[in-house]
Amino acid sequence: MIEALTYPFMWWALAACLVLAGIHAYLGFHVVKRGVIFVDLSLAQLAALGMAIAIATDLHDHPLAAYLFPVGMTLIGAVLFAWLRRLAHRVPLEAFIGIVFATAQALVILVLEKTPSGTEHLKETLIGGIFTVAPELVVKTAVIYALIGVLHFAVRKPLFAISDDAEAAARAGYKIFWWDVLFYATFGIVVTSSVRIAGVLLVFALLVIPAVAGVMTSRHSGLRLAVGWAFGFAGCILGLLAAFRLDEPAAPTILAMMTAMLAVLGAVLWIRRRLVPAAGR
């Protein structure tokens, strides 16, 4: 395992994973609290659709176009999801999110089907390329996430209020639609950047699994977030080392590792509650 750390690409892969895990573990708590678990998967798929359109129009090698197409698609999704909240009393928002995901997935297949390397690009959107990530992309992504982190910290009060109880936040005078647009738009930018590195599957895993680990472990928001970060970082490090050792793709290996860790954590917490009943309250 130590041998893996002698290769520079492993350090950049590790840096990319830790950058992704840091922001996604935080955003995951909002998503879990809002009960829109699959919004990440849906926005990631919209970003993949944007990339597919860039490929089909031969603009994927242009740095600005290759970024604006996916971002544009996720911003459309952000406004759409914010608007669809008003229909949630009749149809669960998750149903619309599922429809958007399935439609975007179908369109990606249809668009890439006509390109010479469609199958390869389709695989790339699913599992990314962590082991081959360019150092400058890691740095640029870290800067983008840092700016979004600062923005979210500045407006944390309304964002957490809406995630905790949207109806109470509305009664308190918060403009739910516009705060949702801000949340989903910044969320979409994060997802767009992440999918280019890690692919749709791992981005979804980094958002949900660490957050679920935190929720399972504690009832206190601060501790949940700390557990989520620790869980995400540990899963990335162990998954990357396992992928190197087994000569497997990084993203699916990290995802499988985090799922296994979550199962172990669940078993440990179950045994703890059996031995110490007060720990489960």
Side-chain angles (χ1 to χ4, degrees):
M1 291 288 185
I2 300 299
E3 180 196 353
L5 300 179
T6 62
Y7 296 95
F9 76 86
M10 276 296 291
W11 284 105
W12 282 110
L14 188 58
C17 273
L18 297 183
V19 167
L20 265 59
I23 191 95
H24 281 271
Y26 157 73
L27 290 172
F29 283 97
H30 282 289
V31 168
V32 170
K33 278 188 170 183
R34 288 169 180 239
V36 288
I37 305 299
F38 293 103
V39 71
D40 172 68
L41 201 56
S42 191
L43 286 174
Q45 199 57 57
L46 284 171
L49 176 58
M51 282 191 275
I53 294 172
I55 290 167
T57 53
D58 240 359
L59 291 171
H60 58 291
D61 288 331
H62 189 285
L64 184 59
Y67 191 72
L68 289 182
F69 272 93
V71 167
M73 290 305 300
T74 54
L75 291 181
I76 291 172
V79 175
L80 181 64
F81 292 147
W83 180 78
L84 286 172
R85 181 195 276 273
R86 65 188 62 190
L87 303 178
H89 65 285
R90 284 188 290 170
V91 181
L93 187 55
E94 282 284 82
F96 292 116
I97 291 170
I99 292 170
V100 171
F101 166 76
T103 306
Q105 174 74 69
L107 291 175
V108 167
I109 294 171
L110 291 174
V111 170
L112 291 181
E113 183 69 22
K114 303 299 181 187
T115 62
S117 53
T119 306
E120 190 58 34
H121 285 304
L122 189 59
K123 180 181 174 185
E124 196 176 300
T125 64
L126 287 176
I127 65 174
I130 295 176
F131 278 145
T132 57
V133 66
E136 54 270 23
L137 181 58
V138 177
V139 174
K140 188 171 78 173
T141 303
V143 171
I144 292 172
Y145 290 177
L147 293 174
I148 290 176
V150 170
L151 174 62
H152 272 240
F153 182 77
V155 296
R156 62 190 181 282
K157 187 177 178 181
L159 290 184
F160 274 97
I162 294 170
S163 294
D164 286 336
D165 188 339
E167 292 184 2
R171 290 196 295 273
Y174 290 118
K175 303 295 184 186
I176 304 296
F177 174 78
W178 291 110
W179 286 114
D180 273 354
V181 169
L182 174 68
F183 175 76
Y184 287 122
T186 51
F187 190 18
I189 292 171
V190 167
V191 167
T192 299
S193 303
S194 300
V195 167
R196 297 175 71 193
I197 297 173
V200 173
L201 294 179
L202 183 57
V203 169
F204 177 72
L206 286 172
L207 182 87
V208 176
I209 297 177
V212 170
V215 170
M216 287 168 56
T217 306
S218 175
R219 298 184 181 205
H220 302 288
S221 297
L223 188 54
R224 285 177 171 180
L225 191 55
V227 170
W229 273 326
F231 190 95
F233 293 155
C236 283
I237 293 170
L238 295 176
L240 268 182
L241 291 175
F244 180 85
R245 177 73 177 175
L246 301 172
D247 194 22
E248 296 283 358
T253 309
I254 295 170
L255 196 161
M257 177 64 73
M258 287 200 294
T259 302
M261 288 170 57
L262 189 66
V264 171
L265 177 64
V268 169
L269 293 174
W270 183 82
I271 293 171
R272 181 168 173 256
R273 281 195 295 270
R274 289 283 177 177
L275 297 177
V276 188
R281 293 197 291 268

